Coordinates of all heavy atoms in Angstrom, one line a residue:
L1 N 30.1 13.8 8.8 CA 31.2 12.9 9.0 C 32.1 13.2 10.1 O 32.6 12.4 10.9 CB 32.0 12.9 7.7 CG 31.4 12.2 6.5 CD1 32.2 12.3 5.2 CD2 31.1 10.7 6.8
S2 N 32.4 14.5 10.3 CA 33.2 14.9 11.4 C 32.6 14.6 12.8 O 33.3 14.2 13.7 CB 33.5 16.4 11.4 OG 32.4 17.2 11.6
E3 N 31.3 14.6 12.9 CA 30.6 14.3 14.1 C 30.7 12.8 14.4 O 30.6 12.3 15.5 CB 29.2 14.7 14.0 CG 29.0 16.2 14.1 CD 27.6 16.7 13.7 OE1 26.7 15.9 13.7 OE2 27.5 17.9 13.5
F4 N 30.9 12.0 13.3 CA 31.2 10.5 13.4 C 32.6 10.2 13.6 O 33.0 9.1 13.7 CB 30.6 9.8 12.2 CG 29.2 9.5 12.2 CD1 28.3 10.4 11.6 CD2 28.7 8.4 12.8 CE1 26.9 10.2 11.6 CE2 27.3 8.1 12.8 CZ 26.4 9.0 12.2
G5 N 33.5 11.3 13.7 CA 34.9 11.1 13.9 C 35.7 10.8 12.6 O 36.8 10.3 12.6
V6 N 35.1 11.1 11.4 CA 35.7 10.9 10.2 C 36.2 12.3 9.6 O 35.3 13.1 9.3 CB 34.8 10.2 9.2 CG1 35.5 10.0 7.8 CG2 34.4 8.8 9.7
T7 N 37.5 12.4 9.4 CA 38.0 13.6 8.7 C 38.7 13.2 7.5 O 39.7 12.4 7.5 CB 39.0 14.4 9.7 OG1 38.3 14.7 10.9 CG2 39.5 15.6 9.0
L8 N 38.3 13.7 6.3 CA 38.8 13.3 5.1 C 39.8 14.3 4.6 O 39.8 15.5 4.9 CB 37.7 13.2 4.0 CG 36.6 12.2 4.3 CD1 35.5 12.3 3.3 CD2 37.2 10.7 4.4
P9 N 40.8 13.9 3.7 CA 41.7 14.8 3.1 C 40.9 15.9 2.3 O 39.9 15.6 1.7 CB 42.6 14.0 2.2 CG 42.5 12.6 2.8 CD 41.1 12.5 3.4
E10 N 41.5 17.1 2.2 CA 40.8 18.1 1.5 C 40.5 17.7 0.0 O 39.5 18.1 -0.6 CB 41.7 19.4 1.5 CG 41.7 20.1 2.8 CD 40.3 20.7 3.2 OE1 39.6 21.1 2.3 OE2 40.0 20.7 4.4
G11 N 41.4 16.9 -0.6 CA 41.2 16.6 -2.0 C 40.2 15.5 -2.2 O 39.9 15.1 -3.4
T12 N 39.7 14.9 -1.2 CA 38.7 13.8 -1.3 C 37.3 14.4 -1.4 O 36.9 15.0 -0.4 CB 38.8 12.8 -0.2 OG1 40.1 12.3 -0.1 CG2 37.8 11.7 -0.4
R13 N 36.6 14.2 -2.5 CA 35.2 14.7 -2.5 C 34.3 13.7 -1.9 O 34.6 12.5 -1.7 CB 34.8 14.9 -4.0 CG 34.7 13.6 -4.8 CD 34.3 13.9 -6.3 NE 34.3 12.7 -7.1 CZ 35.4 12.3 -7.8 NH1 36.6 13.0 -7.7 NH2 35.3 11.2 -8.5
V14 N 33.1 14.2 -1.4 CA 32.1 13.3 -0.8 C 30.9 13.2 -1.7 O 30.4 14.3 -2.1 CB 31.7 13.9 0.6 CG1 30.6 13.0 1.2 CG2 32.9 14.0 1.5
R15 N 30.5 12.0 -2.0 CA 29.3 11.8 -2.7 C 28.2 11.1 -1.9 O 28.5 10.1 -1.2 CB 29.5 11.0 -4.0 CG 28.3 10.7 -4.8 CD 28.5 10.3 -6.2 NE 27.2 10.1 -6.9 CZ 27.1 9.7 -8.1 NH1 28.2 9.4 -8.9 NH2 25.9 9.6 -8.7
V16 N 27.1 11.7 -1.8 CA 26.0 11.2 -1.0 C 25.0 10.5 -1.9 O 24.5 11.0 -2.9 CB 25.3 12.3 -0.2 CG1 24.1 11.7 0.6 CG2 26.3 13.0 0.7
W17 N 24.7 9.2 -1.5 CA 23.7 8.4 -2.3 C 22.4 8.3 -1.5 O 22.4 8.0 -0.3 CB 24.3 7.0 -2.5 CG 25.6 7.0 -3.3 CD1 26.9 7.2 -2.7 CD2 25.8 6.8 -4.7 NE1 27.8 7.1 -3.7 CE2 27.2 6.9 -4.9 CE3 24.9 6.6 -5.8 CZ2 27.7 6.8 -6.2 CZ3 25.5 6.5 -7.0 CH2 26.9 6.6 -7.2
D18 N 21.3 8.5 -2.2 CA 20.0 8.5 -1.6 C 19.4 7.1 -1.8 O 18.9 6.8 -2.9 CB 19.1 9.6 -2.2 CG 17.9 9.8 -1.4 OD1 17.7 9.1 -0.4 OD2 17.1 10.8 -1.7
S19 N 19.3 6.3 -0.7 CA 18.7 5.0 -0.8 C 17.2 5.1 -0.9 O 16.6 5.9 -0.2 CB 19.2 4.2 0.5 OG 18.7 2.9 0.4
T20 N 16.6 4.2 -1.7 CA 15.2 4.2 -1.8 C 14.7 2.8 -1.9 O 15.5 1.8 -1.9 CB 14.7 4.9 -3.1 OG1 15.2 4.1 -4.3 CG2 15.3 6.3 -3.2
A21 N 13.4 2.6 -2.1 CA 12.9 1.2 -2.2 C 13.3 0.6 -3.6 O 13.3 -0.6 -3.7 CB 11.3 1.3 -2.2
E22 N 13.7 1.5 -4.5 CA 14.1 1.0 -5.8 C 15.6 0.6 -5.9 O 16.0 -0.1 -6.7 CB 13.8 2.1 -6.9 CG 12.3 2.2 -7.3 CD 11.5 2.8 -6.2 OE1 12.0 3.7 -5.6 OE2 10.4 2.3 -6.1
V23 N 16.4 1.3 -5.0 CA 17.8 1.0 -5.0 C 18.4 1.2 -3.6 O 18.1 2.3 -3.0 CB 18.6 1.8 -6.1 CG1 18.4 3.3 -5.9 CG2 20.0 1.4 -6.1
R24 N 19.2 0.3 -3.2 CA 19.8 0.4 -1.9 C 21.3 0.3 -2.1 O 21.8 -0.4 -3.0 CB 19.3 -0.6 -0.9 CG 17.9 -0.5 -0.5 CD 17.4 -1.6 0.3 NE 16.0 -1.5 0.7 CZ 15.0 -1.8 -0.1 NH1 15.2 -2.4 -1.3 NH2 13.7 -1.7 0.3
Y25 N 22.1 1.0 -1.2 CA 23.5 1.1 -1.4 C 24.3 0.4 -0.3 O 23.9 0.5 0.9 CB 24.0 2.5 -1.6 CG 23.3 3.2 -2.8 CD1 22.2 4.0 -2.6 CD2 23.9 3.1 -4.0 CE1 21.6 4.6 -3.7 CE2 23.4 3.7 -5.1 CZ 22.2 4.5 -5.0 OH 21.6 5.1 -6.1
L26 N 25.4 -0.1 -0.7 CA 26.4 -0.6 0.3 C 27.8 0.0 -0.1 O 28.2 0.0 -1.3 CB 26.6 -2.1 0.2 CG 27.6 -2.7 1.2 CD1 27.1 -2.8 2.6 CD2 28.0 -4.1 0.8
V27 N 28.4 0.7 0.9 CA 29.7 1.3 0.6 C 30.8 0.2 0.8 O 30.8 -0.5 1.8 CB 30.0 2.4 1.6 CG1 31.4 3.0 1.4 CG2 29.0 3.6 1.3
L28 N 31.7 0.1 -0.2 CA 32.9 -0.7 -0.1 C 34.0 0.2 0.3 O 34.6 0.9 -0.4 CB 33.2 -1.3 -1.5 CG 34.5 -2.2 -1.6 CD1 34.4 -3.3 -0.6 CD2 34.7 -2.7 -3.0
P29 N 34.4 0.1 1.6 CA 35.4 1.0 2.1 C 36.8 0.6 1.6 O 37.0 -0.5 1.1 CB 35.3 0.8 3.6 CG 34.7 -0.5 3.8 CD 33.8 -0.8 2.7

């Protein structure tokens, strides 16, 4: 994320979702 220019507050956790042929994800920012 930092390489993309995104720095999050320390208290914000990051959850990574693994997209597959069975399920695809869209983030609602």
Side-chain angles (χ1 to χ4, degrees):
L1 287 174
S2 69
E3 292 167 12
F4 278 92
V6 177
T7 302
L8 300 173
E10 286 295 327
T12 301
R13 64 181 177 272
V14 179
R15 178 163 183 181
V16 180
W17 301 84
D18 193 358
S19 186
T20 68
E22 283 72 38
V23 58
R24 295 174 179 84
Y25 297 95
L26 179 78
V27 174
L28 175 60

